[in-house]
Amino acid sequence: MLISKRTFIKSFGALLGGLLLFGCRKQGEKSLSRVRPVSIPDIKKQIKEAMKNQKPLDSLVAIPVPSSLKAFPNATNRFGMAIDLDLCDGCGECVLACNLENNIPLVNEYQASKNNYMHWIELRDQIPVTCFHCGDAPCEKVCPTGAAVHSPDGVSAMVYARCAGTRFCGVNCPIKIRKFNYVDALDEGLQFISNPEVPVREQGVIEKCSLCLHRIQNARLKAKTIGKEFLGENVTTACAEACPKGAILFGNWLDPNSLLYKKARGRGVYTLSSIAPFDPSVVYFKGVR
Amino acid sequence: MVKKLFIVGLILLIPGIWTLFQALSIGPASWALDQSLFWGTPIVNFVFWIGLAHAGTFLSAILLILEVRFQKRISLVAELSTIAAILVASIFPLIHLGIVSRFYFLIPFFNERNIFANFSSPLIWDFVAIFVYLCISIFYIVTHLLSLKHASLLKTRKVLAWILFPLVLWVHTIVSLDFAVTTNNLWQGAYFPIYFILGALFSGLALVVFLLEVQKRRVRKIEELLIAASWLLFVFWIWEFFQKGVWHFEVVFFGFVIVQLLWIPVLRKQKAFRLFVSFSVLISMWLERYVLIIPLDIEWLPVDYGWFALGIGLFLSVFFGLYLLIQKHNPLVFYVSAEESNEKYSRKVLWGILAGAVVFALLYFALNYPLDTSVPLMNWIPVLFPLFSLFAGLSFFALGVYSVVPKKQFFLVSGLLVLILGGAFGAFYAGGDTNLGVESKIISVERVSKNNRPVKDLWASRCASCHGLKGEGNRKFIYEFYPEIQDLTLERLNSQGEDSLTQVVLKGRAFMNPFEGRVSEPEARALIRYMYQLAEEKE
């Protein structure tokens, strides 16, 4: 024998330990110098690619107009959106506006080839699909850390700093609209920073439509400063703002003066069949009731 | 043979460690996943290995309770395989996390800031149950080894077996609930816990057949159990087919058809054939989990293959490493078992410990229960029993060990343990720095704030929402969230000093939020000078 057993075991142990330590080493702080600027045409290109191979859509089913949440029966707000399918022509402007508003990163070529994009709004069969902010959200029930929580305003929120990345919420979402940050987009040069109000998500957390929470909170702060009750006036989401047909409406389902509430009168209210049991806050308008 | 397999395990660990390194440095992107498939091969391997871990307990603890005679001949091997398999199994969910360093968010531990884990999530139940299972399994095997010298420990062993019996069923039920509570149609069904437990037993029996063959021993009863389990699982596969239209030929072929060949005595006598059947069952059970968790065709990456090296390598090296270690001290330990003892704990001790366990579990809930929670009390029950068993198991183990180990040694070790655990407890309770540092900074804002804004605007945009435009405090906002802020006076400002106040702005203090990254240091200094100005104006 060339080496004794003892030497073999010793050197083997040292090798394993060294490899393990090497694997667990602290990665250096990410330098911003490596960031390659991402331009708006890059984003437009990926949106176009995503629109070319759209995922299939579940069937639509009629549901009643959203009313107050079970968990917060005394709340005065329940923010939500409606997408008017009679007006929507699937142009994809809302996706671009959402990407710019929320600093949504691009994906690398490998993920793009597999048709996995980070877009919070997806077009499926020409219909925009986003997080439905379910009142009885399945994702929030299974999140072990409480990073996916419901605000009393009816927003299904994500606390990025609390997310450990178990991805249970993504598994339990019936329409798989939650997106996981597989790479550090800032480090990979995939991050486009256009809106300083929205934090850049780190690698390893889930993200999804926030109903432009930063806009809601800014308006709420303003209302509080002047001492007014906040019912969601003067707020709209980026997608609703950008829609050339005015097909997307943002508003408060519990405020009778809200435009959303008024427009819902007499309209057929629909949602996807897999989402219907969970009391969604974002709905589709189609035809008349 | 044992030594050879130990070396094989060590050699397999080399690609295994490489896999671990890849997975930790690249993250979940290193194995096959995408935006619609969030759970991949690590979860498959986790369910597979935790299943193997249960068989050891089944064959040792449950058969001990049932007073089955062949239990004595296989118990130590089974217990060792349990420990090794739990260690392997517990690695996978940890690697699978998006941010591995945040694993402690999953510990349902009460803290000063009232941020609690979500008790309606099966992952929390998982964490508690598997941790407790590992602890009690370690107590159990240590008791077994000590009982070879001190026969009085046999009564402790029996009590621990009684604790492990329901615990093992509980743990695998919780693992099955990870799937059964979701909205995925293919994972739903009230039969899931039993289906999973049976699958675990089946694969575990196959593993024990293999481990016994390594020792050149054979227990015919286990082969019979293997056939029985294959029929039970076959029933479930047929049930799944009629309920959900799920039928996987390869699973049934490896897991049922091949096992039936054991009926033929000629084949059954061959050692090679018995090994073949045991591997076939292991393959079938791995495939079963795979097709359950990953229903689509996905393209595997190198790390997906590496899990095999990591899992098998770690299992073989831990199992046979411990095996060799134990054998060195007591060469006959795997073939001889201590005599049964008929001693029993007195009723007083039993009831005392049970009452203690109930009090402990209730205390845990009382300390952990946030008053404004929306989680129904029902969801706490899954962690109730593991906590209960942890307390009871620890008490019986300590009592048993206390009676045989020198007193000085016992108090030294337990005192040290209490110190370490108490320190960890305190550190967890207090929590760390809330300033999350570089990783969570809003990077872009720093860029925006670099142009020299007039300090008045900066005050209005950053500070006035709480402190008010003139430093008088924005009552309407503060009343809702914070205690009343201090009056702005020159005297108070002077007592603190410009430098330290600048640090307060940047780092935060008590209810003041840290503004590092949102204002630069010169800006913070300018804000403090602006405060002096405001205070002068006021006076």
Side-chain angles (χ1 to χ4, degrees), chain A residues 109-173:
Chain A
E109 279 152 25
Y110 176 68
Q111 293 285 344
S113 71
K114 294 207 294 180
N115 202 15
N116 291 314
Y117 299 96
M118 295 299 287
H119 305 156
W120 289 1
I121 305 177
E122 269 177 16
L123 286 165
R124 295 186 184 175
D125 290 348
Q126 301 296 331
I127 289 179
V129 173
T130 182
C131 172
F132 286 94
H133 294 268
C134 308
D136 187 21
C139 49
E140 291 159 11
K141 278 184 197 151
V142 296
C143 174
T145 59
V149 284
H150 222 78
S151 82
D153 288 340
V155 179
S156 174
M158 266 304 295
V159 188
Y160 301 126
R162 191 107 183 100
C163 179
T166 61
R167 311 194 278 293
F168 206 164
C169 54
V171 170
N172 209 18
C173 178

Side-chain angles (χ1 to χ4, degrees), chain B residues 48-69:
Chain B
F48 177 71
W49 283 103
I50 199 80
L52 291 185
H54 292 331
T57 311
F58 172 77
L59 289 172
S60 172
I62 298 182
L63 297 186
L64 178 70
I65 291 168
L66 300 176
E67 296 183 348
V68 177
R69 267 173 56 221

